[in-house]
Amino acid sequence: MEADRVIRALSALAQEHRLAAFRLLVQAGEQGVAAGVLAEKLDVPPSSMSFHLAQLANAGLVTQRRESRSIIYSADYAAMNDLMGYLTENCCGGLSCSEEPPGSEDTACLPFSQRKSA
């Protein structure tokens, strides 16, 4: 993934309503969610929601399709996985976070809540 795409994606997610909308779309799965439903769930005016969804689409994080009079948005899982891969590609010294050497107590790649404190 190229740096400019990463920057666009992170910039798009660096806003409260866009981040919340993206998380809802990730949870919704491939069937997606109508723009109006997203606006209602997030208590955002429809015109503002359209702006936020356009920013996510421009960043390549969501796809859209028309169904009757609604525009349905879905998370682009490939783009999301590319972004996560880019951010974690050098994690744990190049080792897979799930493949710790036997006897290793290194928890650097675990979520903060699961790390052992010293």
Side-chain angles (χ1 to χ4, degrees), residues 44-96:
V44 174
S47 60
S48 294
M49 190 79 264
S50 293
F51 171 78
H52 292 310
L53 290 167
Q55 295 299 308
L56 290 169
N58 184 51
L61 293 170
V62 300
T63 60
Q64 60 185 355
R65 69 183 186 279
R66 181 168 289 282
E67 285 185 10
S68 187
R69 293 176 46 199
S70 297
I71 298 178
I72 308 298
Y73 288 85
S74 301
D76 185 329
Y77 293 101
M80 179 184 73
N81 288 333
D82 286 348
L83 177 60
M84 294 306 297
Y86 179 87
L87 293 173
T88 61
E89 104 182 293
N90 294 316
C91 176
C92 302
L95 299 174
S96 170

Side-chain angles (χ1 to χ4, degrees), residues 4-68:
D4 63 326
R5 281 189 58 208
V6 172
I7 292 166
R8 277 198 329 264
L10 292 175
S11 294
L13 293 171
Q15 197 282 339
E16 178 183 4
H17 294 120
R18 289 194 289 268
L19 179 59
F22 185 72
R23 290 187 62 174
L24 285 173
L25 291 172
V26 169
Q27 292 171 7
E30 292 181 8
Q31 71 270 13
V33 179
V37 172
L38 283 171
E40 186 177 302
K41 284 186 175 190
L42 296 175
D43 195 28
V44 174
S47 60
S48 294
M49 190 79 264
S50 293
F51 171 78
H52 292 310
L53 290 167
Q55 295 299 308
L56 290 169
N58 184 51
L61 293 170
V62 300
T63 60
Q64 60 185 355
R65 69 183 186 279
R66 181 168 289 282
E67 285 185 10
S68 187

